[in-house]
Amino acid sequence: MSDLLITNARPMGGDTADILIRDGRIAEIGKGLETAGLPVEDAGGRIAIPGLVDAHTHLDKSLLGYSWYVNEVGPRLIDKIDNERKVKRDYGLDAHVQSMRQALQSVGYGTTLIRSHVDIDTDEGLIALEGVMETRRQLAGIVEIEIVAFPQSGLMRRPGTAELIDAGMAMGADLVGGLDPCGMDRDPKAHLDTIFAIAEKYAKGIDIHLHESGELGAFSMELIFERIRALGMQGKVAVSHAFCLGDPDWNMTQALIDTCAELDVPILTTAPPSREVPSLRRLRSAGVRFGAGVDGFRDTWGPYGNGDMLERSMLLGMKNNLRRDDELLWALDVCTTGGAHAMDRAEHSLTIGGRGDVVIVEGETVGEAIVTHQPRKLVVTAGNVVARDGKSLKERP
Amino acid sequence: MSDLLITNARPMGGDTADILIRDGRIAEIGKGLETAGLPVEDAGGRIAIPGLVDAHTHLDKSLLGYSWYVNEVGPRLIDKIDNERKVKRDYGLDAHVQSMRQALQSVGYGTTLIRSHVDIDTDEGLIALEGVMETRRQLAGIVEIEIVAFPQSGLMRRPGTAELIDAGMAMGADLVGGLDPCGMDRDPKAHLDTIFAIAEKYAKGIDIHLHESGELGAFSMELIFERIRALGMQGKVAVSHAFCLGDPDWNMTQALIDTCAELDVPILTTAPPSREVPSLRRLRSAGVRFGAGVDGFRDTWGPYGNGDMLERSMLLGMKNNLRRDDELLWALDVCTTGGAHAMDRAEHSLTIGGRGDVVIVEGETVGEAIVTHQPRKLVVTAGNVVARDGKSLKERP
């Protein structure tokens, strides 16, 4: 929580102004602001945007720092899940080290807020959670990390997992995770009853991975809606991926989207080019909170990605066929202010009283900044400079 | 057509070897090759891949070198087409200068072969064609440019256009273009009869833009197939985009794909994340020739893209959900050897007798080179060094 004056910036690509941060909050935006005694950073006429928000990733999974992982994994979901547990054992993967590497790489790209799912299973127990929690402690003030206790290998199919998720929440995880209650666990009622019960016990929210598409995904969404209503958990349950909302059946998806708005269910996307995904335009016009994330990357699941949420805003724009400059701003909003809002942070924007998280980017316009996503000039978290020229100041292990 | 010895390269990520180019062709690949008197380039242990192939772009449209174009264009196809003609007039856009800028940017990214559609319409006549032909002359030996005479603003709906396309072919265009015979021209029979007649007259091939999806696109494909059969034009007619081949109706699309294989109809994609596209796996397994391109970029149509076909191979991989390293090689093939094959160039590969087009890329494996698409170390066209460290040696105007 520091004081900083950023001079000669163009907030959101507008006119040049200074941005004054006091006690980690934006205190003033204007021309020729008072500088006495404050540290000053000159943005050189570049554009200022809010801190980028990665609302869906897996900090414990990346193989950053290792040799390129040659992927020879089979095509089924369970092939990928089983392979990952094996690779983790073979590599002796340290979730703390890996999450430090990924989080600091993301900081270099301008991310100041991350929601990470962390694997909890009966092979490894709570080791990954401990590792990512240690990373969260070490990176406090640099990047805020929110942790979801995530049953990646299934809940009902692997007895003992629910107890571990419960223990993870007691240890300090922020949200309860879930995964494809039909497709993965083959027992949607038990899966959802279990995670909702744990969330209720700890008075915490839920963020559930839902890859199920079409009518199956719609069925799982309805089961989720029923429990939100029954338990009064409006605004507390987010759905990640939600591919079923991208189904071509407009009537089915509109009913689901309207219910997400009614029950305040945030949707978090990674905008994969290969899948039908929730439409940015439709969620926006229905008033559904909407965030985005890089998902896992450079891991045993797949080779793509690098942690850059500015590049992700481009992919989100491409996926949603956004071509106009005003539409590109929507994509950036999902990856900044809107994503933070989906994570219940209301004041993540370049306005008075907003969090002092500022990223100085290259480009004539915000559109160009998104499309070219050149190395970030400066990244500021709560008034502290945390990265310059694409690299975090804190070194990666 | 020059001689060059590239030492210490890893062809396609394999073992280190030297690559000897004589008279613009690969003469030998092996260890400790004879160097007497030849110019030598040390690849420093980096990976060598064939020259990248951009099989679908629009060299005359880009606004490279101008300020960022703030896109406020309406949502319909005709809005974009009409807007583009207006902007061209307002800017006084010079197709020669713009095509030089784009082509040399692509050379910096390692592209050595380009197929460009060039607008021909009753406003501007053959001016754009003249400009791109001049670029082709000036860049001979640096990048090969193939030109499609393209009726961007419609053929039947703008009388006089067919005569201009005919004149463009007489002037030296390589292929006859076409565009959405139903959706754009509202007269599929006349549109297709016209372009096939011009192609027959000049004994040239066709490359037709087909954005039409679902049954409408399938209908246009069938009309194209009928004319190929009737005129014996097997192997001479390519379809760009062919979104209808990505339709979820498997039976309909498989029949179309099988006919593409039977009549040797190459398919050229730009792998847009927002659309259903032809499946790489299905075209590959049916034996359909398949290339890819960057499409137009930084133009009045949309903001995305930069000319990088290595990045495009990543987008193609993401679109087709290719995750394994062997699958990533398929994506690169479409953007190199396979794309050249779709353009009737059989010998565009790192093999003895292949064209001496070599790109030296960064990465531990080909997969990493694709995913990270870092600046190209060296680009060689027919034995001549044409770019270093991401920049073409010939300066852009």
Side-chain angles (χ1 to χ4, degrees):
Chain A
M1 297 299 174
S2 298
D3 298 344
L4 181 69
L5 182 70
I6 303 171
T7 60
N8 203 14
R10 289 188 292 130
M12 303 309 290
D15 291 340
T16 303
D18 302 337
I19 302 171
L20 177 65
I21 301 171
R22 286 205 182 272
D23 290 331
R25 294 265 161 193
I26 295 175
E28 227 178 320
I29 299 177
K31 284 188 190 288
L33 297 184
E34 191 57 51
T35 67
L38 289 190
V40 177
E41 294 286 341
D42 182 355
R46 294 182 183 82
I47 293 171
I49 62 172
L52 290 155
V53 176
D54 182 353
H56 184 105
T57 190
H58 297 264
L59 287 175
D60 56 327
K61 285 179 189 292
S62 142
L63 300 174
L64 286 171
Y66 286 85
S67 283
W68 181 259
Y69 176 72
V70 176
N71 189 316
E72 298 175 323
V73 185
R76 298 171 307 163
L77 182 62
I78 198 68
D79 296 332
K80 296 178 176 68
I81 291 170
D82 290 347
N83 175 67
E84 177 173 57
R85 280 203 314 281
K86 180 177 181 313
V87 170
K88 277 185 184 171
R89 279 196 307 274
D90 295 351
Y91 278 49
L93 208 66
D94 183 324
H96 167 56
V97 173
Q98 294 314 117
S99 56
M100 286 289 283
R101 287 174 178 165
Q102 180 177 330
L104 286 171
Q105 178 159 319
S106 292
V107 167
Y109 284 121
T111 294
T112 64
L113 173 60
I114 293 174
R115 176 177 288 182
S116 177
H117 298 256
V118 177
D119 289 4
I120 292 178
D121 62 53
T122 50
D123 276 20
E124 299 283 340
L126 299 167
I127 291 176
L129 177 61
E130 284 166 14
V132 179
M133 284 179 69
E134 177 58 24
T135 294
R136 172 162 72 177
R137 274 188 288 276
Q138 292 188 20
L139 297 186
I142 295 174
V143 55
E144 188 180 350
I145 298 173
E146 199 176 71
I147 296 174
V148 185
F150 177 49
Q152 170 76 77
S153 294
L155 200 59
M156 311 318 293
R157 63 188 288 154
R158 292 176 69 96
T161 305
E163 292 74 11
L164 286 166
I165 298 286
D166 187 303
M169 296 307 296
M171 249 173 73
D174 300 293
L175 296 116
V176 180
L179 173 65
D180 292 346
C182 296
M184 180 70 193
D185 249 355
R186 337 301 286 176
D187 188 351
K189 179 176 188 305
H191 182 102
L192 292 171
D193 285 348
T194 301
I195 63 174
F196 273 84
I198 299 173
E200 243 202 328
K201 176 176 170 186
Y202 291 95
K204 295 285 191 182
I206 291 172
D207 186 338
I208 182 167
H209 277 67
L210 191 64
H211 306 93
E212 295 162 8
S213 51
E215 280 74 9
L216 186 63
F219 172 62
S220 288
M221 288 288 276
E222 286 161 8
L223 296 182
I224 292 167
F225 295 152
E226 288 163 14
R227 284 158 180 78
I228 293 173
R229 279 189 220 278
L231 299 170
M233 285 183 68
Q234 286 84 347
K236 294 288 184 191
V237 182
V239 178
S240 282
H241 301 307
F243 295 141
C244 60
L245 296 186
D247 192 85
D249 180 343
W250 192 91
N251 287 306
M252 177 186 86
T253 53
Q254 194 58 44
L256 296 172
I257 290 169
D258 289 344
T259 312
C260 287
E262 178 206 338
L263 300 177
D264 191 13
V265 176
I267 300 297
L268 306 172
T269 191
T270 64
S274 62
R275 299 293 303 255
E276 296 291 349
V277 297
S279 153
L280 185 152
R281 285 173 202 277
R282 292 178 70 191
L283 293 190
R284 188 179 163 87
S285 102
V288 176
R289 288 192 280 160
F290 191 29
V294 297
D295 214 343
F297 63 90
R298 287 288 291 259
D299 58 21
T300 63
W301 291 73
Y304 307 110
N306 52 21
D308 185 356
M309 284 303 301
L310 194 56
E311 182 189 50
R312 187 66 43 171
S313 70
M314 178 190 77
L315 291 170
L316 182 65
M318 291 173 82
K319 183 71 194 174
N320 284 275
N321 198 20
L322 308 180
R323 294 166 179 243
R324 294 165 53 106
D325 282 69
D326 52 1
E327 297 171 342
L328 285 170
L329 286 171
W330 303 344
L332 184 64
D333 178 73
V334 173
C335 298
T336 54
T337 307
H341 184 44
M343 291 172 61
D344 301 322
R345 271 92 172 155
E347 293 160 340
H348 190 99
S349 62
L350 297 190
T351 49
I352 310 298
R355 252 179 87 103
D357 293 6
V358 181
V359 186
I360 303 298
V361 299
E362 306 281 354
E364 197 183 323
T365 64
V366 172
E368 185 173 18
I370 292 170
V371 167
T372 62
H373 47 276
Q374 297 165 72
R376 309 307 110 85
K377 190 66 189 168
L378 188 78
V379 182
V380 171
T381 301
N384 293 307
V385 174
V386 297
R388 287 185 196 278
D389 299 316
K391 294 239 177 273
S392 68
L393 300 188
K394 185 174 174 74
E395 272 195 39
R396 280 187 257 173
Chain B
M1 297 300 173
S2 298
D3 297 344
L4 181 70
L5 182 70
I6 303 171
T7 59
N8 203 14
R10 290 188 291 128
M12 301 311 288
D15 292 340
T16 303
D18 303 337
I19 302 170
L20 177 64
I21 301 171
R22 286 205 184 271
D23 288 332
R25 294 263 162 194
I26 295 175
E28 225 178 321
I29 299 176
K31 285 188 191 287
L33 298 185
E34 192 56 52
T35 68
L38 288 190
V40 177
E41 293 288 340
D42 182 355
R46 294 183 184 81
I47 293 171
I49 62 172
L52 290 155
V53 176
D54 182 353
H56 184 105
T57 190
H58 296 265
L59 288 175
D60 55 328
K61 285 179 189 292
S62 141
L63 300 174
L64 286 171
Y66 286 86
S67 283
W68 181 259
Y69 176 72
V70 177
N71 188 317
E72 297 174 323
V73 185
R76 298 171 307 163
L77 182 61
I78 197 68
D79 296 332
K80 297 178 175 68
I81 291 170
D82 289 346
N83 175 67
E84 179 174 55
R85 280 202 317 279
K86 177 177 183 312
V87 170
K88 277 184 184 171
R89 278 196 307 274
D90 294 351
Y91 279 50
L93 209 65
D94 183 325
H96 166 57
V97 173
Q98 294 314 117
S99 57
M100 285 290 283
R101 287 174 177 165
Q102 179 176 331
L104 286 171
Q105 178 159 320
S106 292
V107 167
Y109 284 122
T111 294
T112 64
L113 173 61
I114 293 174
R115 175 178 288 181
S116 177
H117 299 256
V118 176
D119 289 3
I120 291 178
D121 62 53
T122 50
D123 276 20
E124 299 282 339
L126 299 168
I127 291 176
L129 177 62
E130 283 167 15
V132 179
M133 285 180 68
E134 177 58 24
T135 294
R136 172 163 72 179
R137 273 188 288 276
Q138 292 188 18
L139 298 187
I142 295 175
V143 55
E144 189 181 351
I145 297 173
E146 199 176 71
I147 296 175
V148 185
F150 177 49
Q152 170 76 77
S153 295
L155 199 58
M156 310 319 293
R157 63 188 288 154
R158 291 173 71 95
T161 306
E163 291 73 11
L164 286 166
I165 298 286
D166 187 303
M169 296 307 296
M171 247 173 74
D174 301 293
L175 296 117
V176 180
L179 172 65
D180 293 345
C182 297
M184 181 70 195
D185 248 354
R186 337 300 287 175
D187 187 350
K189 180 176 187 306
H191 182 102
L192 292 172
D193 285 347
T194 302
I195 63 175
F196 273 84
I198 300 172
E200 242 202 329
K201 174 175 172 187
Y202 290 95
K204 295 286 189 180
I206 290 172
D207 185 339
I208 181 167
H209 277 66
L210 192 64
H211 307 94
E212 295 163 7
S213 52
E215 280 74 8
L216 184 63
F219 171 63
S220 288
M221 288 288 277
E222 286 161 8
L223 296 183
I224 292 167
F225 295 152
E226 287 164 15
R227 285 160 180 76
I228 293 172
R229 278 189 221 277
L231 300 171
M233 286 183 67
Q234 285 84 346
K236 294 288 185 192
V237 181
V239 178
S240 282
H241 301 307
F243 294 141
C244 59
L245 296 185
D247 192 85
D249 180 343
W250 192 91
N251 286 307
M252 176 185 87
T253 52
Q254 194 59 44
L256 296 173
I257 290 169
D258 289 344
T259 311
C260 288
E262 179 205 337
L263 300 178
D264 191 13
V265 176
I267 300 296
L268 305 172
T269 191
T270 65
S274 62
R275 298 294 302 254
E276 296 292 348
V277 297
S279 154
L280 185 152
R281 286 173 202 278
R282 292 178 71 190
L283 292 191
R284 188 179 163 85
S285 102
V288 176
R289 290 192 279 159
F290 191 29
V294 297
D295 213 343
F297 63 90
R298 288 288 291 261
D299 58 21
T300 63
W301 290 73
Y304 306 110
N306 51 23
D308 184 355
M309 283 303 301
L310 194 57
E311 183 189 49
R312 187 66 41 170
S313 70
M314 178 189 79
L315 291 170
L316 183 65
M318 291 174 82
K319 182 73 195 174
N320 284 276
N321 200 19
L322 308 180
R323 293 166 178 244
R324 294 166 51 108
D325 282 69
D326 51 1
E327 296 171 342
L328 285 171
L329 286 172
W330 303 344
L332 185 63
D333 178 72
V334 173
C335 299
T336 54
T337 307
H341 183 45
M343 290 172 62
D344 300 322
R345 272 91 173 156
E347 293 160 340
H348 190 99
S349 62
L350 297 189
T351 49
I352 310 297
R355 252 178 88 103
D357 292 6
V358 182
V359 185
I360 302 299
V361 298
E362 306 281 353
E364 197 182 323
T365 63
V366 172
E368 186 172 17
I370 292 170
V371 167
T372 63
H373 47 276
Q374 297 165 72
R376 308 308 111 85
K377 191 66 190 168
L378 188 77
V379 181
V380 172
T381 301
N384 294 307
V385 174
V386 297
R388 288 185 195 279
D389 300 316
K391 293 240 179 275
S392 68
L393 300 189
K394 185 174 174 73
E395 272 196 39
R396 279 188 259 173

